[in-house]
């Protein structure tokens, strides 16, 4: 396999990676033109307009029916979402579904190239108001990832060529054989955990080992459910979703529907302080001093108060990081039930509630075979505390990465994903342990790419970054932990400088920008 692919300089930045969209072409020929000014005016009048492949799609009637959740659409209103759309959907959706919602053909300004957002200066509910360099963001950029002269049009063009290359060379083909070994691992861990509890000797070692096996089972099943949520197994949304519910809800007690709503939003607005739920963890963590401002979360629909509890935890977040992670699974139980009982959008609500209830029934039955309260406490503590490994793997990819954009109106999808994400270096023999999370840059660029193909794609992505001056951030698992803790410590050290007054916030931000990567 070549280390790089030939890239055609003749492809314009605004072209679609799916050029053969016959239905889109037919629609485009019949639709009236729409300029950026007209787009803004119609959006201000209440229309949810998104530009995809130079088609203006009106999604007011679809937003509440979107399988990926309404926020994934709302954050793209007024944006060119071509790459976001093609990365998250199979080509069949682009060919048969998207053109049906088109109401105009977009006519871009010939003087501008690679415009990502046409509404950055507009106040819109749930709009992806990506943080700019001048708005008080806390994260200093690496020296070569934040250049003002990055050619976003060229990055976009080459990213689309790479995406086309991966499709044409079979990278998106589903590898069922890869999951045979995964399934064998799941069965073995389940058998060890259940077998030790039901038939093991009455010993602390029995329940210690059973707890470890359970935690590892939940970790591995989470990787599988993640793949299913991205339709990486079969490409059939309904089948993969139902199977994911059977895996995560029935065997792990967690809602796949909640995860999918959360995770799709995360992919669209990665590391955005106001919009990305994966970095909104007050009162326990703040990955940016902008959280000191008690900002409003568009995901949770509430103000994230930087109150006394937040000051206490955040001021010691680098020291409490692993402690808090030991309790993270309990929070997922809470979030799952909150989603299923209170969310307006829960398309598989009845099925998920039934499966999670069934989980608690069989899991409680299993726990009833543990003879003493002491052994029960040991098993529950170990199984849930070791689950912290999964949460560390998840947060490692983003907690210490950028939360600000050098150019929110023009930064393309590919540049944004590289800027906000890091990889973890590991040998092939440990790929099973990280479950694809070690290739987060590749995954964020190509979310539907089967995870067993990510290692082969990494050299191509590195080459893309090298040619365009984007820093490809990667660490070993240990060094990644150290880097993340250092960043959390830098943010923690600024809490005492912030007492809610503007001058103290500015002082904290200025000190932080100057200090972290000197």
């Amino acid at each position: 396999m070549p280390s790089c692919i030939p890239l055609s300089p003749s492809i314009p930045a605004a072209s679609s990676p799916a050029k053969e969209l016959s239905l889109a072409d037919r629609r485009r020929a019949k639709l009236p033109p729409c300029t950026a000014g007209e787009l803004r005016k119609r959006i201000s009048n209440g229309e949810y307009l998104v530009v995809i492949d130079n088609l203006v799609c009106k999604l007011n009637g679809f937003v509440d029916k979107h399988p990926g959740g309404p926020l994934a659409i709302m954050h793209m209103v007024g944006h060119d979402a071509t790459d976001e759309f093609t990365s998250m959907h199979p080509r069949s959706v682009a060919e048969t579904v998207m053109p049906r919602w088109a109401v105009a053909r977009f006519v871009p300004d010939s003087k501008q190239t690679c415009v990502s957002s046409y509404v950055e200066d507009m106040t819109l509910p749930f709009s992806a108001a990506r943080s700019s360099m001048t708005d008080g963001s806390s994260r200093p950029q690496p020296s070569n990832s934040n250049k003002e002269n990055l050619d976003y049009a060229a990055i976009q063009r080459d990213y689309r060529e790479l995406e086309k290359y991966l499709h044409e060379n079979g990278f998106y083909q589903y590898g069922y054989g890869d999951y045979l070994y995964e399934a064998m691992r799941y069965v073995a861990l389940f058998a060890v955990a259940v077998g030790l509890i039901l038939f093991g000797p009455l010993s602390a070692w029995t329940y210690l080992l059973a707890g470890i096996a359970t935690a590892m089972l939940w970790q591995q099943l989470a990787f599988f459910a993640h793949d299913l949520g991205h339709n990486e197994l079969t490409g059939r949304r309904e089948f993969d979703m139902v199977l994911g519910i059977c895996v995560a809800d029935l065997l792990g007690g967690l809602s796949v529907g909640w995860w999918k709503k959360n995770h799709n939003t995360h992919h669209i607005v990665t590391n955005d302080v106001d919009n990305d739920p994966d970095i909104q963890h007050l009162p326990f963590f703040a990955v940016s001093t902008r959280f000191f401002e008690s900002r409003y979360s568009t995901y949770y629909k509430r103000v994230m108060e930087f109150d006394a509890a937040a000051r206490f935890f955040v001021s010691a977040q680098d020291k409490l990081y692993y402690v808090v992670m030991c309790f993270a699974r309990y929070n997922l139980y809470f979030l799952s039930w909150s989603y299923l009982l209170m969310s307006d959008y829960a398309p598989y609500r009845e099925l998920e509630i039934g499966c999670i209830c069934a989980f608690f029934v069989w899991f409680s039955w299993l726990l009833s075979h543990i003879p003493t309260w002491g052994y029960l406490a040991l098993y529950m503590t170990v199984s849930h505390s070791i689950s912290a490994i999964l949460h560390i793997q998840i947060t490692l990819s983003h907690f210490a990465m950028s939360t600000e954009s050098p150019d929110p109106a023009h930064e393309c999808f590919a540049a944004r994903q590289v800027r906000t994400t890091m990889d973890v270096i590991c040998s092939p023999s440990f790929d099973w342990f990280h479950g694809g999370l070690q290739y987060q840059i590749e995954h964020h660029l190509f979310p539907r790419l089967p995870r067993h193909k990510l290692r082969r794609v990494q050299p191509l992505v590195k080459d893309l970054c090298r040619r365009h001056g984007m820093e490809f951030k990667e660490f070993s698992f240990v060094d990644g932990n150290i880097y993340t803790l250092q960043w959390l410590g830098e943010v923690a050290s600024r809490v005492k400088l912030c007492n809610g007054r503007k001058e103290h916030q500015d002082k904290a931000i200025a000190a932080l920008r100057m200090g972290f990567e000197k």
Side-chain angles (χ1 to χ4, degrees):
M1 179 179 176
S3 60
C4 62
I5 62 173
L7 300 174
S8 171
S10 63
I11 298 179
S15 69
S16 168
K19 294 180 292 184
E20 312 83 17
L21 299 181
S22 58
L23 178 57
D25 291 338
R26 292 197 302 269
R27 291 284 291 162
R28 189 179 287 106
K30 298 177 181 179
L31 292 170
C34 177
T35 65
E38 293 168 334
L39 181 80
R40 289 164 56 87
K41 182 178 180 180
R42 293 178 65 169
I43 290 173
S44 66
N45 290 330
E47 294 186 65
Y48 298 159
L49 301 180
V50 179
V51 178
I52 301 174
D53 189 25
N54 280 346
L55 290 175
V56 179
C57 299
K58 181 178 178 179
L59 302 176
N60 295 61
F62 181 64
V63 64
D64 292 328
K65 304 172 186 176
H66 182 226
L71 284 178
I73 289 179
M74 297 300 295
H75 285 312
M76 288 291 98
V77 169
H79 292 71
D80 186 328
T82 301
D83 292 330
E84 287 85 349
F85 176 83
T86 56
S87 71
M88 297 289 286
H89 298 85
R91 287 189 165 184
S92 60
V93 175
E95 293 167 356
T96 62
V97 178
M98 179 273 293
R100 299 175 186 172
W101 298 95
V103 294
R105 54 182 173 85
F106 188 66
V107 181
D109 187 338
S110 60
K111 298 179 181 180
Q112 292 185 322
T113 59
C114 194
V115 177
S116 298
S117 171
Y118 299 92
V119 293
E120 284 302 311
D121 60 338
M122 297 175 64
T123 301
L124 300 172
F126 302 115
S127 66
R130 300 190 182 98
S131 310
S132 71
M133 290 286 289
T134 60
D135 65 0
S137 179
S138 66
R139 181 64 165 94
Q141 296 293 295
S143 58
N144 67 334
S145 69
N146 193 25
K147 296 178 181 178
E148 294 183 1
N149 61 346
L150 280 179
D151 189 344
Y152 291 126
I155 295 171
Q156 182 183 76
R157 178 199 69 216
D158 288 357
Y159 163 74
R160 292 177 177 181
E161 280 292 304
L162 177 55
E163 194 267 348
K164 177 182 177 182
Y165 172 86
L166 297 179
H167 272 286
E168 292 178 347
N169 287 272
F171 283 84
Y172 281 89
Q173 292 178 359
Y174 307 109
Y176 300 111
D178 294 324
Y179 284 101
L180 177 61
Y181 296 102
E182 303 289 341
M184 293 170 61
R185 189 180 304 119
Y186 309 153
V187 172
L189 288 169
F190 184 83
V192 169
V194 174
L196 284 171
I197 291 176
L198 295 181
F199 308 111
L202 188 61
S203 165
W205 284 103
T206 296
Y207 302 105
L208 174 65
L209 294 174
I212 293 173
T214 301
M216 295 302 296
L217 173 66
W218 285 338
Q219 178 211 39
Q220 295 296 307
L221 290 178
F223 298 151
F224 186 41
H226 174 266
D227 296 349
L228 292 168
H230 282 291
N231 307 127
E232 293 177 15
L233 181 64
T234 70
R236 291 178 289 169
R237 180 177 59 83
E238 290 285 346
F239 180 87
D240 284 357
M241 186 66 182
V242 172
L243 182 57
I245 291 172
C246 294
V247 169
D249 297 52
L250 185 58
L251 297 179
L254 303 178
S255 167
V256 167
W258 161 80
W259 170 84
K260 191 162 186 176
K261 176 186 176 185
N262 177 291
H263 196 66
N264 285 343
T265 304
H266 162 69
H267 269 272
I268 295 298
V269 286
T270 309
N271 267 30
D272 185 282
V273 169
D274 298 324
N275 301 318
D276 183 1
D278 273 15
I279 62 169
Q280 296 176 344
H281 299 297
L282 285 180
F284 299 106
F285 298 119
V287 300
S288 162
T289 55
R290 296 179 66 207
F291 284 106
F292 298 177
E293 304 165 12
S294 296
R295 302 184 70 91
Y296 181 81
S297 167
T298 60
Y299 182 85
Y300 293 108
K301 299 181 181 179
R302 60 176 173 81
V303 174
M304 299 175 286
E305 295 286 353
F306 194 70
D307 53 18
R311 291 173 185 273
F312 171 78
F313 285 110
V314 172
S315 65
Q317 62 182 357
D318 54 324
K319 303 174 182 66
L320 297 175
Y321 176 66
Y322 297 116
V323 176
V324 174
M325 289 300 172
C326 288
F327 295 91
R329 189 171 184 86
Y330 297 105
N331 182 54
L332 298 189
Y333 293 139
F334 171 77
L335 292 174
S336 294
W337 279 111
S338 296
Y339 163 80
L340 291 173
L341 296 179
M342 294 183 287
S343 176
D344 294 333
Y345 177 81
Y348 296 87
R349 192 189 311 270
E350 292 79 8
L351 178 60
E352 290 207 78
I353 289 176
C355 285
I356 291 180
C357 288
F359 163 79
F360 282 106
V361 169
W362 78 257
F363 193 59
S364 297
W365 172 84
L366 183 65
L367 296 180
S368 70
H369 289 78
I370 300 178
T372 70
W373 288 106
Y375 288 149
L376 177 62
L378 174 64
Y379 170 76
M380 290 293 290
T381 300
V382 170
S383 62
H384 284 70
S385 296
I386 293 183
S387 294
I389 295 173
L390 172 63
H391 301 286
I392 292 167
Q393 291 171 315
I394 293 171
T395 58
L396 210 62
S397 303
H398 301 289
F399 263 27
M401 298 304 291
S402 169
T403 57
E404 61 188 28
S405 172
D407 189 351
H410 297 90
E411 185 181 34
C412 64
F413 170 78
R416 186 169 72 250
Q417 299 307 322
V418 172
R419 174 178 58 82
T420 57
T421 312
M422 77 160 68
D423 272 11
V424 173
I425 303 168
C426 76
S427 68
S429 60
F430 265 83
D431 279 351
W432 69 270
F433 177 75
H434 291 286
L437 297 183
Q438 73 274 39
Y439 303 116
Q440 279 292 281
I441 296 177
E442 293 76 18
H443 171 63
H444 269 255
L445 291 172
F446 311 105
R448 298 183 62 256
L449 192 72
R451 66 166 146 120
H452 301 94
K453 309 284 182 64
L454 294 175
R455 178 174 287 275
R456 295 169 55 196
V457 172
Q458 188 185 61
L460 303 178
V461 173
K462 285 185 175 181
D463 182 68
L464 175 71
C465 294
R466 177 188 56 78
R467 284 184 286 106
H468 293 286
M470 298 184 292
E471 182 177 24
F472 186 97
K473 184 82 77 175
E474 61 178 346
F475 295 97
S476 70
F477 187 61
V478 173
D479 289 341
N481 273 262
I482 294 172
Y483 185 77
T484 299
L485 289 175
Q486 287 176 337
W487 175 245
L488 291 176
E490 286 292 330
V491 177
S493 69
R494 311 305 170 182
V495 173
K496 62 182 179 181
L497 298 178
C498 176
N499 66 355
R501 296 199 300 268
K502 183 70 167 59
E503 61 269 28
H504 282 230
Q505 294 172 4
D506 291 343
K507 188 182 297 183
I509 292 164
L512 192 58
R513 279 180 169 163
M514 295 175 60
F516 181 61
E517 291 187 349
K518 277 189 174 181

